[in-house]
């Protein structure tokens, strides 16, 4: 009941503002598919693109979105009349809490994007207007693969981006259709190029071929050695290449990363300081690969994220700086130069999970870590800075938040 009251009170103004600004009236016949346990698999698996609104009837944020979502669906239906191309659907999370739990819905409303039944990691977080949602769907329907008509175009590929290039005999083939599905899913993470027929012939020495061109002029290409008819294998290989272990956090993706709900291990570095970033990436891969899934490995531009640095009493002049943000407190790694000491960065992360960082910041070093005689001196207590990146989490002015984060 408290959630309902919170939602209604906080969104009262936004409800009327939305209608005054957009001038929406009740739309005509909207084709919104209501999903339940009986039809969700069939509908999503057969939809090229599906935008699903997870909502609650009692929430005004959900009520605000409903006419906008319906009007956007009408526009999409006019532009993409094939019902398998684009689907607008909704899930009443009160009625179907099992579906909401399956897709880890933590706020209302949540707009999730699906492709051929697979939920995309990035949900829709843009403006809640008919125009913005319709534009988003149009962007999702743009072919992410650029056809190349000369192998010279490969030599001019942007090496500041990750490129995956497919060489195929025919466009209408099972191999290329797998490549298309992978490209649609990873369209925001990699650049996809494809060549066909005579143009690709010299690169098809043993059949259709897919290569990965990493960032950087001197980094060698990598060849996919699996079966192109196997979507799962092809996707897993491409995802490993396109989605880096250490991701950059920006103001655009901060909400998305924060909502994943796991702490951040962040390298703050000057944008031009690629050497420190490479060292950090290397040590994360060497020491912390087993911790993937329990902590997010990130890097941030010192200039853009001055405020979190000031929060831990640092400035861009102090970069590179490594810190953990647990969403309750921030903890600073003592010295960047020590990351190459075997196991030291890993221990820093393990001390977060064990609660040692939290304990020591509040109560001084654990007895086992005390230097001789320290027991007589007494505890050295301190207060760690509060979380800075928690402020990038989904806002209560846009969503009803359903659960609190664990505190570390």
């Amino acid at each position: 009941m408290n959630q309902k009251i919170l939602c209604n009170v906080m969104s009262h103004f936004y409800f009327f503002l939305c209608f005054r600004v957009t001038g929406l009236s009740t739309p005509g016949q909207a084709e919104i598919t209501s999903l339940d346990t009986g039809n969700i698999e069939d509908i999503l698996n057969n939809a090229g693109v599906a935008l699903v609104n997870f909502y609650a009837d009692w929430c005004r944020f959900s009520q605000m979105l409903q006419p906008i979502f319906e009007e956007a669906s009408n526009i999409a239906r006019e532009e993409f009349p094939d019902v398998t191309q684009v689907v607008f659907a909704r899930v009443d999370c009160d009625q179907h809490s099992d579906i909401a739990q399956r897709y880890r819905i933590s706020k209302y409303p949540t707009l999730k994007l699906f492709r051929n039944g697979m939920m995309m990691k990035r949900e829709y977080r843009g403006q809640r207007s008919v125009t913005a949602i319709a534009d988003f769907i149009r962007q999702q329907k743009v072919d992410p693969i650029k056809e190349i008509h000369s192998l010279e175009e490969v030599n001019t590929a942007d090496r500041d981006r990750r490129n995956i290039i497919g060489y195929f005999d025919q466009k209408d083939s099972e191999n290329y259709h797998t490549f298309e599905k992978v490209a649609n899913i990873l369209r925001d993470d990699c650049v996809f190029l494809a060549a066909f027929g005579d143009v690709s012939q010299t690169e098809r020495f043993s059949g259709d071929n897919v290569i990965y061109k990493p960032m950087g002029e001197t980094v060698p290409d990598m060849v996919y050695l699996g079966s192109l008819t196997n979507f799962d294998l092809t996707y897993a290989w491409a995802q490993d290449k396109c989605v880096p272990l250490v991701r950059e956090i920006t103001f655009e993706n901060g909400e998305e990363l924060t909502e994943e709900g796991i702490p951040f291990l962040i390298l703050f570095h000057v944008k031009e300081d690629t050497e420190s970033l490479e060292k950090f990436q290397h040590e994360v891969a060497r020491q912390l690969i087993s911790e993937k899934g329990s902590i997010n490995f990130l890097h941030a531009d010192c200039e853009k994220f001055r405020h979190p640095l000031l929060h831990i009493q640092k400035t861009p002049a102090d970069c590179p700086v490594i810190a953990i943000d647990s969403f309750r407190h921030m903890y600073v790694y003592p010295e960047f130069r020590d990351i190459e000491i075997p196991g030291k960065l890993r221990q820093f992360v393990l001390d977060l999970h064990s609660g040692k960082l939290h304990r020591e910041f509040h109560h001084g070093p654990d007895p086992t870590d005390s230097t001789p005689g320290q027991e007589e001196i007494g505890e050295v207590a301190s207060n760690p800075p509060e979380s800075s990146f928690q402020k990038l989490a989904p806002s209560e002015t846009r969503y009803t938040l359903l659960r609190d984060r664990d505190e570390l």
Side-chain angles (χ1 to χ4, degrees):
M1 184 64 182
N2 289 338
Q3 290 175 348
K4 296 181 183 181
I5 294 173
L6 174 66
C7 182
N8 288 339
V9 170
M10 295 188 66
S11 64
H12 184 74
F13 169 74
Y14 295 93
F15 177 78
F16 289 104
L17 178 62
C18 173
F19 282 91
R20 287 179 65 87
V21 171
T22 59
L24 289 176
S25 58
T26 303
Q29 186 66 33
E31 296 187 30
I32 309 291
T33 303
S34 294
L35 301 179
D36 55 40
T37 53
N39 67 3
I40 187 168
E41 299 290 342
D42 182 59
I43 289 172
L44 295 184
N45 288 342
N46 289 291
V49 171
L51 188 62
V52 182
N53 175 19
F54 292 85
Y55 71 98
D57 273 333
W58 49 261
C59 178
R60 281 290 183 91
F61 290 117
S62 297
Q63 294 169 11
M64 286 165 53
L65 179 62
Q66 179 181 337
I68 296 169
F69 193 69
E70 291 179 347
E71 187 64 22
S73 78
N74 290 337
I75 293 174
R77 179 61 58 241
E78 291 176 6
E79 297 184 16
F80 306 101
D82 184 344
V83 294
T84 63
Q85 283 193 57
V86 175
V87 169
F88 274 63
R90 60 189 168 200
V91 174
D92 183 333
C93 294
D94 281 343
Q95 296 294 321
H96 304 288
S97 58
D98 55 332
I99 298 178
Q101 290 172 8
R102 185 196 315 178
Y103 294 110
R104 299 182 180 179
I105 302 303
S106 61
K107 62 189 185 309
Y108 299 144
T110 293
L111 293 179
K112 288 195 174 288
L113 182 72
F114 293 78
R115 289 185 177 277
N116 302 111
M118 179 181 288
M119 184 179 73
M120 299 296 96
K121 191 168 188 178
R122 294 181 180 91
E123 64 188 53
Y124 178 78
R125 298 177 187 272
Q127 183 183 359
R128 291 176 189 163
S129 71
V130 173
T131 300
I133 295 175
D135 284 344
F136 174 74
I137 293 298
R138 292 186 192 102
Q139 292 165 12
Q140 299 307 310
K141 293 302 295 178
V142 172
D143 190 345
I145 303 171
K146 177 187 175 184
E147 182 174 351
I148 54 180
H149 302 283
S150 165
L151 294 185
E152 287 299 315
E153 294 180 49
V154 176
N155 298 328
T156 60
D158 184 358
R159 295 310 293 265
D160 290 331
R161 301 283 307 276
R162 297 173 176 83
N163 293 269
I164 291 186
I165 307 170
Y167 300 97
F168 302 94
D169 180 24
Q170 298 178 18
K171 198 169 188 177
D172 186 15
S173 65
E174 188 175 357
N175 286 350
Y176 182 67
H177 292 327
T178 299
F179 187 75
E180 273 188 311
K181 287 177 67 175
V182 171
N184 270 304
I185 294 169
L186 297 172
R187 61 197 296 142
D188 296 327
D189 303 295
C190 265
V191 174
F192 287 85
L193 308 169
F196 305 95
D198 293 340
V199 176
S200 66
Q201 188 171 7
T202 57
E203 298 293 330
R204 290 186 287 104
F205 39 87
S206 59
D208 290 348
N209 187 28
V210 172
I211 67 166
Y212 168 64
K213 282 187 174 293
M215 297 169 64
E217 296 290 344
T218 60
V219 186
D221 297 345
M222 301 179 190
V223 180
Y224 174 60
L225 301 175
S227 169
L228 279 168
T229 59
N230 188 317
F231 167 77
D232 291 335
L233 284 178
T234 309
Y235 172 67
W237 178 84
Q239 184 186 44
D240 180 63
K241 303 297 179 285
C242 292
V243 182
L245 182 61
V246 179
R247 295 177 285 176
E248 181 177 12
I249 185 169
T250 65
F251 291 112
E252 288 73 28
N253 68 4
E255 180 180 284
E256 169 193 328
L257 291 171
T258 303
E259 196 177 7
E260 290 181 13
I262 56 178
F264 292 170
L265 177 68
I266 312 173
L267 168 68
F268 296 93
H269 68 105
V270 177
K271 186 177 181 180
E272 292 74 22
D273 180 14
T274 56
E275 181 181 354
S276 295
L277 176 57
E278 288 172 3
K279 284 183 181 179
F280 182 68
Q281 290 169 328
H282 177 74
E283 293 305 322
V284 166
R286 187 166 72 98
Q287 299 185 41
L288 292 168
I289 192 69
S290 63
E291 297 302 311
K292 183 180 180 182
S294 67
I295 193 163
N296 266 324
F297 309 118
L298 306 171
H299 68 100
D301 185 328
C302 277
E303 292 294 338
K304 291 181 179 177
F305 285 90
R306 278 175 171 267
H307 179 73
L309 278 174
L310 291 173
H311 210 55
I312 54 176
Q313 300 182 336
K314 302 287 184 181
T315 71
D318 296 309
C319 290
V321 173
I322 295 174
I324 284 176
D325 191 317
S326 72
F327 299 131
R328 178 170 171 78
H329 294 300
M330 292 187 74
Y331 307 97
V332 182
Y333 185 73
E335 294 288 344
F336 176 79
R337 62 175 177 267
D338 291 343
I339 64 169
E340 294 179 305
I341 297 175
K344 187 154 182 121
L345 187 62
R346 175 177 172 78
Q347 191 59 53
F348 183 57
V349 171
L350 294 180
D351 287 347
L352 169 76
H353 293 321
S354 70
K356 182 178 179 181
L357 291 181
H358 188 77
R359 266 195 325 274
E360 291 192 340
F361 267 108
H362 281 293
H363 306 296
D366 284 353
T368 54
D369 295 331
S370 300
T371 55
Q374 189 170 4
E375 291 82 355
E376 288 80 19
I377 297 174
E379 291 184 343
V380 181
S382 64
N383 294 311
E386 292 184 353
S387 168
S388 184
F389 287 90
Q390 175 67 23
K391 297 178 179 66
L392 297 180
S395 169
E396 291 181 344
T397 64
R398 279 175 57 84
Y399 302 100
T400 300
L401 307 180
L402 302 183
R403 58 182 173 84
D404 295 324
R405 300 193 185 284
D406 293 333
E407 296 185 352
L408 286 172

